[in-house]
Amino acid sequence: MRWAADRVADAVDREGLVRLVLEAVRIPSVTPHEVAFAGWVSEQLATGDWNGVRVEEAEPGRPNVYAETGGSAGRSLVLAGHLDTVHADDWIREWAGSDRADPFAGHVVEGEIWARGVTDQKAGICSIIEAVRAVGRTGYRLTGPLTGLFVCDEESGQPGSGLSIGMRAAVSQLFSDPGRVPDFAIYTEPTTGAVYTAQMGFLIADVTLSGRSAYFGTPELGVDALRAGHYLLSELWDHDETLRAGTPHNLLDHRFLLVTGVEAGGNIAVPGEFRLSLIQKLLPGDDLDHQADLLRRIVEKVSENHGPTADVAFSAPRDHRVGGTPDEVASDHPGVSELVNSIERTTGRPARIEGAPYWSEKPLLRAAGIPGVYFAAGDIANCHTPFERLPIEEFVSATRSLAHFVVSWCGVEEAGKG
């Protein structure tokens, strides 16, 4: 099997892969406008050794793309990615009047492709497409079942987005039968070619303190929400210090809380309202409900001691009603070990096992009983910025590693057999 995996990895078409991702980024798919790109993905899969390719709506106008290939005799696998990208407003402002002004043109600069969505997450989708094509190109077919899963609505930032409606629908439609739960998953979010076995969780809260506005000459008639907000900030920063003092995770470091915005003030008057937004990082094993309750108690304490009424809204539910749960798969899980072997075999370098400095949708797969990791080319640090770019050689290398892993994990036989 190792020899076959080596052959398939070597069959990855570098030039074809680059052309593929350039084609992909030239089809804008800013949330919630994934339809055109979903159509392109389904066409590429249908001509690339997949069967059962279909587009299904998670909601009207919000497509998912599903595909299957392989037999039923080997280990099963899910390869997943998201179809949508964040908006390109920042890109347009940054590069106006330059040769990189078009965020969807796919500019090749010093061995890197610059474009909105090239790393997050079209490179990963193209790696999946090409990895399976390389299997067919070498005259093999997979003996274990492989599911391709490409979902809408992963990104946040646009009105009504970031609710994971695509992945929620996919899990319900494909994996509700416990007898058909795949053995392993790779979600192709960018990892710079490392294997991300752990990811942080989060909760995002919007807090409103409502006092009573009053003219500055008669402040005794008001209830100063801004003054109460000062005490709230102090309490939250104390809570942040407590979180940071806890035991760190070996891959994800410390918990923390970050106040991301405040707003208050009036027209020469006692401020009657104070608004605050925050995000809190959680580690595997943390309970989201408990952490949300701690925040509510902090806010309630300030409200009771300083007068304003309070409201706490958790505004980013993902796989949980107040946020996103953390996740971790053991570094010695057979899927991780096999992927590590494929990376080392194809690159000649030690594989890196790291933690994801982001939240994505793998916990929704894990809740369905599917353990997995993130793995793909590209650096999340420049995603969602005007400097999003994909190193071509890293992209080709990660695709070869993925192709090697698919063969090693699922198994292959010569296509003429059976």
Side-chain angles (χ1 to χ4, degrees):
M1 192 60 65
R2 176 174 290 186
W3 181 75
D6 289 344
R7 281 193 64 202
V8 170
D10 289 343
V12 167
D13 179 357
R14 181 187 188 281
E15 287 71 26
L17 182 62
V18 172
R19 286 196 300 271
L20 193 68
V21 78
L22 287 172
E23 225 179 290
V25 298
R26 289 167 184 163
I27 305 171
S29 57
V30 175
T31 315
H33 304 292
E34 303 101 341
V35 171
F37 185 57
W40 180 88
V41 169
S42 66
E43 290 172 5
Q44 297 300 319
L45 296 170
T47 58
D49 298 299
W50 297 80
N51 52 60
V53 179
R54 62 195 189 277
V55 178
E56 296 192 13
E57 290 187 329
E59 287 185 355
R62 306 301 302 281
N64 285 347
V65 182
Y66 306 143
E68 292 85 29
T69 189
S72 59
R75 294 178 292 192
S76 53
L77 177 66
V78 175
L79 297 179
H82 63 83
L83 300 165
D84 57 328
T85 75
V86 295
H87 66 75
D89 298 349
D90 59 337
W91 187 292
I92 293 168
R93 287 192 301 269
E94 177 72 25
W95 298 108
S98 77
D99 58 358
R100 298 181 211 184
D102 184 348
F104 305 110
H107 314 275
V108 180
V109 181
E110 297 180 352
E112 297 179 316
I113 300 170
W114 290 61
R116 170 58 78 234
V118 67
T119 296
D120 190 14
Q121 207 240 296
K122 292 180 176 179
I125 290 173
C126 291
S127 286
I128 294 171
I129 294 168
E130 174 58 20
V132 174
R133 285 180 175 174
V135 175
R137 195 175 291 134
T138 49
Y140 294 116
R141 64 183 177 194
L142 298 174
T143 54
L146 171 62
T147 300
L149 178 59
F150 309 95
V151 298
C152 63
D153 197 52
E154 191 274 346
E155 297 289 7
S156 57
Q158 298 297 100
S161 70
L163 301 176
S164 293
I165 61 170
M167 184 59 81
R168 290 174 185 273
V171 168
S172 173
Q173 292 165 357
L174 301 182
F175 307 128
S176 58
D177 181 354
R180 299 185 61 190
V181 174
D183 298 315
F184 196 64
I186 295 178
Y187 200 127
T188 53
E189 288 279 24
T191 68
T192 66
V195 181
Y196 284 1
T197 58
Q199 74 171 71
M200 68 178 69
F202 76 93
L203 54 81
I204 293 175
D206 297 317
V207 181
T208 302
L209 299 179
S210 298
R212 184 168 59 252
S213 185
Y215 181 59
F216 90 103
T218 54
E220 67 278 4
L221 300 179
V223 177
D224 193 335
L226 179 53
R227 180 182 289 271
H230 162 79
Y231 291 107
L232 176 59
L233 286 168
S234 296
E235 293 284 348
L236 290 172
W237 286 326
D238 286 346
H239 186 50
D240 172 55
E241 291 182 5
T242 300
L243 293 171
R244 292 177 186 269
T247 304
H249 188 277
N250 64 318
L251 297 176
L252 298 171
D253 204 6
H254 289 273
R255 302 166 180 84
F256 61 77
L257 181 150
L258 181 67
V259 175
T260 56
V262 295
E263 183 179 358
N267 183 18
I268 57 172
V270 173
E273 189 170 87
F274 175 90
R275 291 178 295 278
L276 172 151
S277 298
L278 64 85
I279 186 167
Q280 182 177 330
K281 173 184 174 181
L282 296 93
L283 299 180
D286 289 347
D287 181 270
L288 269 76
D289 286 315
H290 175 66
Q291 295 300 319
D293 284 342
L294 290 177
L295 284 174
R296 289 190 190 98
R297 288 175 204 160
I298 290 169
V299 176
E300 288 167 3
K301 175 184 172 183
V302 170
S303 175
E304 291 168 2
N305 292 340
H306 300 284
T309 60
D311 177 73
V312 181
F314 293 96
S315 55
R318 284 295 188 137
D319 64 321
H320 189 284
R321 60 192 179 86
V322 300
T325 59
D327 184 52
E328 184 170 21
V329 62
S331 60
D332 61 353
H333 184 282
V336 177
S337 299
E338 199 73 70
L339 181 55
V340 164
N341 175 72
S342 290
I343 293 168
E344 294 180 346
R345 182 83 174 172
T346 55
T347 67
R349 299 185 300 272
R352 294 174 288 121
I353 294 180
E354 299 176 3
Y358 51 73
W359 190 93
S360 190
E361 295 175 320
K362 190 164 65 71
L364 285 156
L365 293 171
R366 185 59 174 262
I370 311 168
V373 298
Y374 297 110
F375 172 73
D379 189 348
I380 194 66
N382 61 51
C383 298
H384 298 208
T385 78
F387 310 100
E388 183 174 0
R389 58 197 186 273
L390 176 71
I392 291 173
E393 293 309 319
E394 182 182 298
F395 177 40
V396 174
S397 177
T399 305
R400 287 175 174 156
S401 296
L402 181 64
H404 191 283
F405 170 78
V406 168
V407 172
S408 300
W409 183 256
C410 294
V412 291
E413 62 183 5
E414 292 181 7
K417 290 185 177 180

